[in-house]
Amino acid sequence: MTQAVYFCSGDLGPPEYHHYGLAAPLYTHFTYPIRRYADVIVHRLLAASLGIDKLPLVFQDRAQLTSIADNLNYRHRNAQMASRASVELHTLIYFRNRPTDTGARIVKIRSNGFIVFVPKYCIEEPVYLTTRAEKGSGQ
């Protein structure tokens, strides 16, 4: 399943509008429009399509709207990566001086190790059986 993205209608074909998680043929999501820039855009476009408000000039230029959607997607991906990196950093800080012995479950086996899930901490991470040097040297 691919990541949901913002796009300008007409840039993608109708089969690509489908929201797999909701099994909905058409879908848009937004919260209160003062919270996020993406929500402001969607709110203004919906208001214009319902005849409640005029369509801002910037949104009448499809190339500009496509550029805005691409930028929103770029920034959303960066925010997700920053969030994940922050969680990883703070997890490492938490465990740095706390040796821990607790149960874990192997959830996936790979050629160079396995993935474990630690229920007590809700952590799922890889355990490597080879070092990067060994992997790189073909051993």
Side-chain angles (χ1 to χ4, degrees):
M1 192 178 321
T2 58
Q3 172 93 25
V5 294
Y6 295 101
F7 64 93
C8 180
S9 60
D11 286 352
L12 301 178
E16 296 174 273
Y17 293 1
H18 189 80
H19 188 288
Y20 296 96
L22 298 177
L26 292 172
Y27 174 79
T28 190
H29 169 80
F30 66 99
T31 58
Y32 192 68
I34 64 167
R35 300 179 88 181
R36 299 183 317 141
Y37 183 59
D39 298 329
V40 171
I41 292 169
V42 171
H43 186 265
R44 289 180 180 169
L45 290 169
L46 287 173
S49 69
L50 296 171
I52 296 170
D53 208 351
K54 289 184 179 180
L55 185 63
L57 286 176
V58 69
F59 298 154
Q60 294 177 24
D61 180 356
R62 185 167 155 185
Q64 179 71 20
L65 196 55
T66 296
S67 176
I68 290 169
D70 291 344
N71 187 45
L72 288 170
N73 293 324
Y74 170 78
R75 296 202 178 272
H76 180 71
R77 281 189 301 274
N78 283 343
Q80 284 183 322
M81 288 187 290
S83 175
R84 290 175 187 146
S86 175
V87 168
E88 184 175 344
L89 172 65
H90 287 89
T91 300
L92 290 170
I93 290 169
Y94 177 82
F95 284 108
R96 180 176 42 200
N97 296 317
R98 290 182 177 91
T100 303
D101 185 1
T102 189
R105 295 186 179 103
I106 296 175
V107 295
K108 186 174 185 178
I109 297 176
R110 293 183 169 171
S111 62
N112 63 338
F114 46 90
I115 306 295
V116 297
F117 175 67
V118 184
K120 182 175 180 178
Y121 299 106
C122 291
I123 296 174
E124 185 174 308
E125 292 293 329
V127 174
Y128 297 103
L129 300 177
T130 58
T131 65
R132 287 185 176 172
E134 290 172 346
K135 182 179 180 185
S137 66
Q139 294 180 357

